[in-house]
Amino acid sequence: MHEFSVASALLKQVAELAVREGAERITQVRVSVGEFSGVEPELLRLAFEQLIPGSPADGAQVMIEPVSLQAGCRRCETTFAVASFRFQCPECGSPDVRIVQGEELILESVTLETEE
Ligand SMILES: [Zn+2]
């Protein structure tokens, strides 16, 4: 499953960050998942649930935030939500649009706990 490799790559990133910051514990991990990123938020959550126990992020709270797909019209500059993958401007009908958000898969933030 694709989501497993995504989750394990993210966890590796988180673990490296924790080592670099000299953190004692990883308490929270936030990930933004675009609707058009090819990753299913629910499957990603399940993958994290299975991969986290025993990893450096053991006990961390994982928050997965879906990001809706939005496009912008190149002709009239209107920004609109894309429904049913219909890439056409609702204002002027132009099919010349670009994706503004929804393709991303981002590690938004990691909360670490450092021993004083
Ligand atoms: Zn337009």
Side-chain angles (χ1 to χ4, degrees):
M1 194 165 60
H2 177 55
E3 281 75 8
F4 264 94
S5 49
V6 171
S8 77
L10 287 170
L11 280 178
K12 192 165 162 257
Q13 225 179 309
V14 169
E16 281 169 5
L17 184 77
V19 168
R20 207 159 53 225
E21 301 288 323
E24 196 69 20
R25 240 159 50 83
I26 299 162
T27 52
Q28 194 192 69
V29 177
R30 271 178 56 217
V31 183
S32 288
V33 180
E35 206 183 348
F36 209 49
S37 66
V39 168
E40 204 51 65
E42 183 57 21
L43 292 177
L44 188 63
R45 196 180 57 76
L46 289 172
F48 271 120
E49 266 176 23
Q50 294 199 26
L51 292 170
I52 280 183
S55 82
D58 205 344
Q61 182 196 15
V62 177
M63 296 175 71
I64 293 171
E65 291 157 12
V67 178
S68 65
L69 184 57
Q70 285 203 8
C73 176
R74 283 202 173 94
R75 195 199 281 173
C76 72
E77 302 295 319
T78 300
T79 304
F80 57 98
V82 180
S84 316
F85 300 108
R86 215 140 46 93
F87 292 95
Q88 197 178 32
C89 177
E91 285 300 318
C92 72
S94 168
D96 188 14
V97 299
R98 63 192 161 82
I99 291 175
V100 177
Q101 64 162 44
E103 280 184 313
E104 63 272 63
L105 182 82
I106 303 169
L107 185 59
E108 285 288 350
S109 74
V110 179
T111 310
L112 302 170
E113 219 173 73
T114 355
E115 196 97 314
E116 289 303 318

